[in-house]
Amino acid sequence: MLTVKDVAKSFGGFRALNGCGLEVRPGTITGIIGPNGAGKSTLFNIIGGLFPPDQGVVELEGRSIAGVRPDKLAGLGLVRTFQISRELGELTVLENMLLAGQGQSGEQAWANFLRWGLVREQEARTLAKARALLERVDLWHLANDPARNLSGGQKKLLEISRALMLDPKIILLDEPTAGVSPLMSRALTKAISTLRDDGITFAIIEHDMDMIAEICNPIYVLAEGRTLTSGSFAEVTANEDVMKAYLGKVAA
Amino acid sequence: MISFIILMSIVICFSAVLALALNFQWGSGGMVNFGLAGFYALGAYACALLMLKGGFNTFFATLGAMAIVAVACGLVAIVTLRVTEEDYFAIVTLGVGEMLRLVALNEDWLTKGALGLSGIERPFNDWVAPTSYSYVMLGFCALMVAATVWFLNKLARSPFGRVVRAVREDDVVAATLGKHVLWARIRIFAIGGALIGLAGSLHAFYYQYIDPTQFSNIVIAYAFMAVIAGGRGAYLGTILGASIVMVLLEGSRFAKDLIPSLSSDQLAAIRIIIIGVGLIALLIYRPQGFLREYRLQANLSGSKQQSP
């Protein structure tokens, strides 16, 4: 579904990615792990269209998406979340959700004055969808609060729910459990695997090995901008190179 | 005294429209406009010239001025935001605003330079007696303020309003959620531009004479103060903010009656000092402004709506 081949990216003299590749098959939760500075977030930023790769192939369902703008990617069914939650703080929780609705005529300023019937009808539909998603993660009672008031875990839930408003085919999650309580982390893990069963494909950057072991397969290991190896959790952890990458060459 | 209050109310009205335009561009959309005075001048000159040279009536001259400033603002947004980061946008608006003022000052063939344009016609002038005209003008200006607030409030409650605020909060997230950020910003700046054009037209109608000194950059500081005082994104608050700024500005004229030894130079300086002190006091005691931005408050307990 998502194919990345030989992607390279430099920032000035620093090579953040150097021949990185992975393959996300439909219906999987593909884990991406690696030490800090391995280039995981840079890879997500390239797939997500924040900047184009210097070289290499990025394809979504066989179609090149290298350098395609994020808003176009959203239309193609690819959404991402961010390592540090990026809720729209001044908007309410519900407004964050409604914003993510696609194909809203009311986003044209004039339509609100000339086709208000259509806008109102769409708004009711978007609201019903947002409500169903918020009730699922127990955030509906906070729907009228500014999103900035949510706890760390609730912000993560909001981000995933907001991504679901787009009816995506694939969601890229950048460290969904970072800064989240263990209890909330369990809930997130469960939510993600349920969504996978509903047919949504995931690629996840994560440091929480319990979560990786439980739901991710296959797992790609990145180090120094390269794909080191891939495979199931057992295969990857048995690999000596992986231990070296994580613990440093001295320890090995 | 009554006539002074009426004239001041008119000034408050068209200042409020200008501040409302800024509140939409900057307060709601996060787009800093340091060229406000220049675009304001463009609106006033466009309106005046459409009547004096183009022979249009006041209604079409106003519409024309709104369209011209909207297009000018839209172009500035397109040209700047396509090639550069938003951080530089503020500087570009400053440059464009100054450029517009210099054009007004130096292109004698079009604007009569420092002499200014006189003999600007007023709306409804033929229909009412000159003695009661200021009441009509006040009513007209107040109606324009009400219409602007209604329009902006309607937009704020619409899906478009959500996009506007989202672009201000975090443009990367807005893009990730499928919004075309550049196009949104162009529209934000152009819609604000149309309102600046309206404010400029009212300015021209009121004074019947315009020259470049009326559009000095201090106007930008007053407008920002009105928006900050009223609350970013709170349109009704902007009317309050504009009233306070104008009362402080015009009210300081009476300082001469209280302290007769003031020279007119000192008085002019005091007006600016009052504004400055007022802004600092505001930022200390009520940094969020008097009113709050619109926030959707949905009925949480109501039954689930059936999706069709």
Side-chain angles (χ1 to χ4, degrees), chain B residues 2-295:
Chain B
I2 290 292
S3 72
F4 174 75
I5 288 174
I6 288 185
L7 294 184
M8 199 164 112
S9 304
I10 298 174
V11 175
I12 287 174
C13 283
F14 62 74
S15 309
V17 175
L18 183 68
L20 282 164
L22 180 69
N23 200 357
F24 181 68
Q25 290 180 331
W26 175 69
S28 302
M31 300 180 72
V32 179
N33 184 355
F34 285 143
L36 190 69
F39 290 116
Y40 188 36
L42 177 65
Y45 273 92
C47 177
L49 288 170
L50 281 172
M51 288 190 294
L52 293 171
K53 300 215 167 173
F56 288 92
N57 63 21
T58 52
F59 177 72
F60 285 106
T62 306
L63 283 186
M66 290 172 73
I68 287 169
V69 184
V71 169
C73 282
L75 281 176
V76 170
I78 292 175
V79 172
T80 313
L81 295 173
R82 267 177 62 93
V83 293
T84 176
E85 311 258 327
E86 56 186 306
D87 306 340
Y88 298 102
F89 184 72
I91 298 167
V92 173
T93 58
L94 185 66
V96 171
E98 192 59 14
M99 191 189 79
L100 287 168
R101 201 182 58 81
L102 287 174
V103 167
L105 187 61
N106 293 305
E107 296 301 313
D108 291 351
W109 61 273
L110 186 67
T111 65
K112 298 216 181 113
L115 286 176
L117 294 169
S118 55
I120 298 165
E121 204 188 318
R122 293 174 143 187
F124 318 114
N125 214 5
D126 305 337
W127 304 351
V128 282
T131 45
S132 55
Y133 183 78
S134 54
Y135 295 94
V136 175
M137 184 72 187
L138 176 59
F140 177 63
C141 287
L143 191 68
M144 288 298 116
V145 174
T148 305
V149 170
W150 174 81
F151 171 74
L152 290 178
N153 274 333
K154 182 108 173 134
L155 279 190
R157 283 154 181 74
S158 76
F160 175 69
R162 280 200 296 264
V163 175
V164 170
R165 280 175 287 144
V167 165
R168 175 193 69 198
E169 293 291 302
D170 192 330
D171 54 342
V172 173
V173 169
T176 302
L177 299 177
K179 312 303 166 194
H180 194 317
V181 173
L182 174 65
W183 177 226
R185 288 204 165 118
I186 292 166
R187 288 182 294 164
I188 292 166
F189 217 59
I191 290 173
L195 295 175
I196 296 171
L198 174 63
S201 302
L202 296 177
H203 176 111
F205 293 145
Y206 172 71
Y207 288 110
Q208 293 181 283
Y209 163 80
I210 52 173
D211 72 51
T213 61
Q214 295 170 356
F215 308 98
S216 62
N217 284 334
I218 195 72
V219 169
I220 304 169
Y222 297 154
F224 269 96
M225 187 175 166
V227 173
I228 293 168
R232 274 186 85 171
Y235 303 123
L236 271 176
T238 303
I239 299 178
L240 193 62
S243 307
I244 291 169
V245 172
M246 283 300 152
V247 167
L248 284 179
L249 263 182
E250 300 298 323
S252 59
R253 287 181 200 283
F254 296 106
K256 197 160 174 59
D257 302 339
L258 298 173
I259 315 164
S261 59
L262 279 178
S263 74
S264 55
D265 282 356
Q266 287 170 321
L267 190 63
I270 279 180
R271 300 173 78 185
I272 311 285
I273 291 170
I274 289 176
I275 291 291
V277 170
L279 187 55
I280 291 169
L282 191 73
L283 289 176
I284 291 172
Y285 295 107
R286 196 147 176 97
Q288 74 276 37
F290 294 117
L291 297 180
R292 212 184 59 188
E293 181 173 56
Y294 164 78
R295 239 179 230 158

Side-chain angles (χ1 to χ4, degrees), chain A residues 217-240:
Chain A
N217 189 20
I219 293 156
Y220 284 81
V221 184
L222 261 60
E224 290 167 0
R226 248 187 299 271
T227 305
L228 205 59
T229 182
S230 67
S232 69
F233 187 73
E235 286 164 6
V236 165
T237 42
N239 189 314
E240 261 184 34

Side-chain angles (χ1 to χ4, degrees), chain A residues 45-159:
Chain A
N45 286 340
I46 286 175
I47 299 171
L50 286 199
F51 37 74
D54 295 340
Q55 62 182 64
V57 177
V58 187
E59 282 177 350
L60 181 67
E61 297 181 310
R63 165 178 178 179
S64 175
I65 55 164
V68 171
R69 280 202 323 264
D71 55 298
K72 295 262 191 219
L73 290 175
L76 296 173
L78 183 146
V79 203
R80 66 167 299 189
T81 67
F82 296 88
Q83 189 174 352
I84 299 159
S85 293
R86 288 174 85 160
E87 78 288 350
L88 302 163
E90 287 292 311
L91 276 66
T92 68
V93 170
L94 181 58
E95 284 174 323
N96 266 271
M97 296 291 287
L98 296 176
L99 176 77
Q102 298 298 293
Q104 301 185 61
S105 306
E107 287 180 7
Q108 299 300 322
W110 59 267
N112 297 294
F113 298 94
L114 302 178
R115 306 196 62 188
W116 54 270
L118 175 71
V119 171
R120 186 187 292 179
E121 184 196 310
Q122 287 179 348
E123 195 74 348
R125 229 178 304 165
T126 315
L127 182 68
K129 186 169 164 186
R131 177 171 186 171
L133 285 168
L134 285 178
E135 280 175 341
R136 221 156 91 177
V137 291
D138 199 23
L139 284 178
W140 176 247
H141 64 288
L142 300 170
N144 287 339
D145 289 15
R148 130 169 69 74
N149 294 358
L150 295 183
S151 73
Q154 289 170 332
K155 285 177 183 175
K156 294 283 182 186
L157 284 175
L158 173 62
E159 270 202 304

